[in-house]
Amino acid sequence: MRTPHLRRVGLAAASLGLVAALAACSSGAAPESDGTTTPAADASSGPAGSRVAVSYEGGILVLDGTTLETVADMDSEEFTRLNPAGDGRHVMVTMSEGFQLLDTAAGTSEEPELTDTVFAADTPGHVVRHGGKTILYADGTSDTTVFDTADLATADGLPETETIEGVEAHHGVSVVLEDGTFLTTVGNADGRNGIEVRDAAGEVVAQSDECPGVHGEGTAADEAVVFGCEDGAIVYHDGEITKLDAPDQPYGRMGNAYVSETSPIIVGDYKNDPDAEGYLLNAVTLIDTEAKTLEVVDLPEGVEYTFRDVARGPDDLAYIIGSDGAVHVLDPETGELTASYPVIDAWESPVEWQDAHPAIVVGADGVGYVTEPAKNSIHAVDLTTGEVVATSELDVTPNEIATAVGE
């Protein structure tokens, strides 16, 4: 089934009437880490609350989620990617040998540790968390590793895992729904073109080849799953795949989805010029998984972002750290920006996507964490008020970031 896009709208600067005044994905290969951890001299004792993991060139910091003080500093490979494991304590670190488990010790009095636990993977890629499962995808084989997220708390080493063998290696992603339905991308070394859906017994029950360049995924309310395409997106829901066309053809790409599992609307990035220089984008995609519609919203002039700069937070709103240095609040229901909070200095596109540039993630109690590599700093922002509640100047340049919320 094909459904046309809804419409394309623009957001003029005047749409910020309620605004507070403005004041691809791969892992690096480098020498293995020895897992060395250096506790900070001023790290607080006693049970810890939320933690923030921050990668930098050759290392990873673990910060206190409230004070942003450094709790631990450990060696890693030159470039690593960070993803929450899903249990509120651990972070998956993308290393050359696979996904290495970082214990942030969130919610405990223990010391953070880059553990010896590694989920082996040839060219580790996407990490997905859904329905009590953590799903790891290996680009070099297209194999998917699945385990119960809760088992991280009790396993001595690797938890019990299930490996779903792939067919042809490609940069892909997989999702497992609560009833065991398995969704995975389809492609090979020459490209990617769609998805395949299998039931809990492994039988193919649906498939689509209408998603050129398929990349990224997001699961919204009622387990509606979206995958991005170079000409729009596809939605899987209740056994049916629906293609949503972008307003720009033949190229209107969505490649990253920012979701809340209590909202039917997925916020995605959007690019309509395949030859554009740099990585800054100036429009977002809103996909209503109930109405099966796709809408592109143009952001005001000067508000640009990369794939690291959008997160979902309080009230299912989207929060964008723009190139103007402000956190912009986007209401997915209306497509309007409802507030803007100045946080960091204006910044420009990275030369390469791996290069350090501002990022935003959301932790516990509606706190957003924003990195500012130009000043080797990180800021904690109350996303409901825009108040910067903590700032820390680091001894390193922050790159990727992930949170562990503790208990």
Side-chain angles (χ1 to χ4, degrees):
M1 176 180 178
R2 298 179 67 89
T3 303
H5 67 274
L6 177 61
R7 60 191 177 98
R8 179 172 183 142
V9 298
L11 284 175
S15 69
L16 304 182
L18 299 178
V19 178
L22 287 174
C25 287
S26 63
S27 62
E32 276 190 67
S33 162
D34 62 5
T36 301
T37 300
T38 304
D42 59 354
S44 58
S45 59
S50 62
R51 293 281 169 82
V52 182
V54 179
S55 70
Y56 64 91
E57 187 174 350
I60 301 171
L61 299 178
V62 177
L63 311 180
D64 181 279
T66 301
T67 67
L68 298 183
E69 294 177 348
T70 298
V71 178
D73 185 352
M74 55 201 75
D75 295 333
S76 74
E77 296 180 352
E78 181 178 0
F79 175 74
T80 57
R81 307 213 65 188
L82 305 178
N83 287 278
D87 66 338
R89 174 167 174 166
H90 295 88
V91 169
M92 290 292 178
V93 182
T94 303
M95 298 284 206
S96 53
E97 290 191 352
F99 302 92
Q100 189 163 354
L101 195 64
L102 167 63
D103 183 355
T104 71
T108 77
S109 58
E110 302 171 18
E111 292 288 348
E113 176 190 11
L114 186 58
T115 73
D116 294 330
T117 300
V118 178
F119 297 83
D122 181 347
T123 317
H126 282 277
V127 177
V128 173
R129 303 157 298 278
H130 178 70
K133 304 285 188 182
T134 302
I135 304 106
L136 311 175
Y137 191 92
D139 291 347
T141 59
S142 77
D143 290 349
T144 302
T145 299
V146 184
F147 62 90
D148 289 333
T149 308
D151 288 350
L152 289 174
T154 58
D156 182 14
L158 283 174
E160 182 178 348
T161 64
E162 175 188 5
T163 298
I164 303 173
E165 293 186 359
V167 179
E168 295 185 84
H170 65 280
H171 177 53
V173 65
S174 298
V175 185
V176 178
L177 302 184
E178 292 183 6
D179 65 357
T181 298
F182 175 71
L183 296 84
T184 191
T185 53
V186 175
N188 54 40
D190 297 324
R192 313 180 297 272
N193 61 4
I195 67 167
E196 183 175 273
V197 183
R198 307 175 197 169
D199 63 19
E203 297 295 322
V204 176
V205 294
Q207 54 190 347
S208 171
D209 60 1
E210 292 188 291
C211 192
V214 58
H215 183 274
E217 58 72 42
T219 303
D222 198 29
E223 291 201 305
V225 185
V226 168
F227 294 85
C229 315
E230 290 181 351
D231 59 358
I234 53 176
V235 177
Y236 175 81
H237 188 224
D238 286 341
E240 182 177 301
I241 299 174
T242 302
K243 176 63 183 288
L244 305 179
D245 293 327
D248 300 290
Q249 294 294 329
Y251 189 89
R253 180 182 184 271
M254 184 205 123
N256 296 278
Y258 311 95
V259 303
S260 166
E261 294 194 352
T262 57
S263 170
I265 300 177
I266 286 178
V267 177
D269 58 4
Y270 189 72
K271 180 180 181 180
N272 63 359
D273 182 359
D275 300 318
E277 296 183 0
Y279 292 90
L280 292 180
L281 305 173
N282 60 5
V284 296
T285 307
L286 301 180
I287 296 174
D288 189 327
T289 60
E290 290 182 344
K292 302 297 191 297
T293 57
L294 184 154
E295 174 184 357
V296 173
V297 175
D298 294 309
L299 299 174
E301 184 176 354
V303 180
E304 298 174 299
Y305 68 97
T306 77
F307 68 97
R308 289 183 183 167
D309 302 318
V310 186
R312 298 296 284 272
D315 300 320
D316 290 337
L317 300 174
Y319 297 83
I320 304 169
I321 177 65
S323 56
D324 59 355
V327 172
H328 299 273
V329 184
L330 173 72
D331 184 348
E333 295 282 349
T334 64
E336 296 180 354
L337 296 182
T338 60
S340 292
Y341 309 128
V343 176
I344 64 175
D345 289 345
W347 53 280
E348 298 179 350
S349 172
V351 176
E352 302 292 341
W353 70 263
Q354 300 98 328
D355 293 344
H357 61 280
I360 184 171
V361 297
V362 179
D365 300 323
V367 174
Y369 298 96
V370 176
T371 59
E372 189 172 13
K375 292 187 175 180
N376 288 353
S377 296
I378 181 172
H379 311 274
V381 184
D382 183 335
L383 295 177
T384 62
T385 66
E387 178 186 2
V388 177
V389 295
T391 291
S392 180
E393 185 173 334
L394 309 173
D395 293 328
V396 297
T397 300
N399 198 336
E400 294 228 340
I401 183 171
T403 60
V405 298
E407 296 180 355

